[in-house]
Amino acid sequence: MYFPGLWTAKQIVLDLRRVFGSKPSEPVFVITHHKVATVLIRKVMMEVSEKIGWRYSSTMGVATNIPSKTDLLHVIHGTVSDSFFQSRNKGVRIIRDPRDVIVSGYLYHQRCSEKWCVNSDFSDPSRPFPQVPWPLVDADLAAKEEFVSRLDGLSYQEKISSLSKAEGLIFEMDGFAKITIDEMIRWKDNDYVLTIKMEDLVEDYDSVFEKIFRWMGIGEVDIGNCLKIAITHDMNRMGEDLIASNPHISTGELRKWKDFFSPEVEEAYQERFGEAHKELGYG
């Protein structure tokens, strides 16, 4: 029942959408990783959720469950607890060739303004964010100390920028990229989670997003409007000026690792990650 003055017009519309729209029978999640379509998915899913009346929430750190009053949880850095990992919650995860995760991180971290990346104040011995990035906030102190010790008192950005290309790529392998790659290969395929390669999403944008929306339980009546929202964020439809102005896009090229991996870098990758790319379905 509606009592005038108790709700805004926008809230009334959202409540009606939750009642009559395509609310999922159970809450769902989407997992991305740093430099793995995070910004794209966040923008699309926030706008889609508002459009169809879903309650969207996100977490920067480790996800232990899907919070109450949430229809769609976005696990931004892909870090989840064992209980979340073993649950039967339905969701989508986005992966990327780990070699391109390394290259993309190497390029991005030399110019980004993210607090953890430009922080050079390590005075707090408990190592909170931004001394360490969000995925390590709930890690034990030893893991935090290991991350910080590699910085030699510099910010992550200062450190990686001071190195040669090969050294910088190897530094990234042992830094944020390692967190991402470890989380990507930790997941095992199951019937509840739809795995999407970022490469496929970019190259077959409309059909892959439609597949994601249907998997999440978005109703037929809303699919068209959701696709219209997604299309507005398609890099392939953006002009060069718009791409150049986006700080999260390094070159506009999705696959870059072959141009950056020297024999030295390739050997370092093999030592650390072996056939991780093949485990994820990349040749």
Side-chain angles (χ1 to χ4, degrees):
M1 182 177 297
Y2 168 58
F3 295 95
L6 292 183
W7 292 283
T8 64
K10 180 178 179 181
Q11 187 61 50
I12 295 169
V13 171
L14 290 176
D15 288 342
L16 288 172
R17 284 172 179 165
R18 290 186 185 116
V19 174
F20 298 108
S22 52
K23 181 179 179 179
S25 57
E26 297 290 339
V28 295
F29 66 85
V30 58
I31 284 181
T32 57
H33 302 271
H34 189 59
K35 305 313 298 172
V36 187
T38 300
V39 175
L40 169 64
I41 293 298
R42 182 177 64 205
K43 289 179 177 179
V44 171
M45 293 306 172
M46 287 181 70
E47 291 182 30
V48 161
S49 295
E50 182 173 5
K51 182 70 175 179
I52 65 176
W54 283 19
R55 295 164 296 187
Y56 169 97
S57 66
S58 64
T59 179
M60 301 288 281
V62 177
T64 57
N65 54 48
I66 299 180
S68 62
K69 299 182 180 179
T70 295
D71 297 313
L72 172 58
L73 173 67
H74 182 187
V75 185
I76 289 177
H77 290 117
T79 47
V80 302
S81 67
D82 289 340
S83 59
F84 192 104
F85 178 77
Q86 295 165 2
S87 74
R88 295 187 174 186
N89 292 322
K90 192 171 185 179
V92 176
R93 71 175 186 131
I94 314 295
I95 63 172
R96 186 179 186 181
D97 189 320
R99 296 163 294 188
D100 280 311
V101 169
I102 293 165
V103 174
S104 184
Y106 165 72
L107 295 172
Y108 177 67
H109 294 146
Q110 292 182 70
R111 69 178 194 281
C112 76
S113 58
E114 295 190 18
K115 289 182 179 180
W116 71 270
C117 192
V118 300
N119 170 72
S120 58
D121 177 5
F122 301 101
S123 58
D124 189 330
S126 68
R127 304 299 184 218
F129 176 88
Q131 291 186 32
V132 295
W134 279 111
L136 291 181
V137 166
D138 295 319
D140 58 39
L141 186 58
K144 296 180 181 180
E145 290 287 6
E146 181 181 0
F147 183 90
V148 170
S149 67
R150 298 179 56 251
L151 303 178
D152 298 325
L154 303 173
S155 71
Y156 194 99
Q157 187 166 96
E158 290 170 333
K159 181 65 177 180
I160 201 170
S161 299
S162 71
L163 303 172
S164 68
K165 180 189 290 187
E167 292 171 337
L169 287 163
I170 295 171
F171 175 83
E172 178 65 22
M173 281 185 208
D174 293 325
F176 210 135
K178 182 180 187 302
I179 298 170
T180 295
I181 295 169
D182 286 348
E183 287 295 329
M184 287 197 301
I185 62 176
R186 179 183 173 214
W187 277 90
K188 304 300 180 185
D189 290 337
N190 64 60
D191 294 337
Y192 303 98
V193 180
L194 174 67
T195 298
I196 298 292
K197 290 181 178 179
M198 179 178 170
E199 294 83 357
D200 294 339
L201 176 60
V202 171
E203 293 171 358
D204 196 10
Y205 191 90
D206 295 5
S207 64
V208 172
F209 256 117
E210 181 176 354
K211 185 177 183 180
I212 290 172
F213 293 149
R214 293 186 185 281
W215 180 266
M216 287 181 166
I218 294 176
E220 189 69 36
V221 67
D222 289 317
I223 291 291
N225 285 330
C226 292
L227 284 173
K228 288 179 182 178
I229 290 170
I231 285 170
T232 64
H233 299 288
D234 183 6
M235 185 180 71
N236 295 321
R237 292 178 168 97
M238 296 179 185
E240 293 183 1
D241 291 344
L242 187 57
I243 291 176
S245 67
N246 190 323
H248 292 276
I249 302 175
S250 298
T251 65
E253 295 181 8
L254 192 61
R255 297 179 176 88
K256 299 184 279 287
W257 72 268
K258 289 184 179 180
D259 294 329
F260 282 80
F261 271 38
S262 65
E264 177 186 358
V265 174
E266 176 70 29
E267 182 179 358
Y269 172 83
Q270 291 292 335
E271 289 175 353
R272 288 158 175 78
F273 304 111
E275 302 294 300
H277 53 287
K278 291 185 178 179
E279 290 183 45
L280 293 168
Y282 296 91

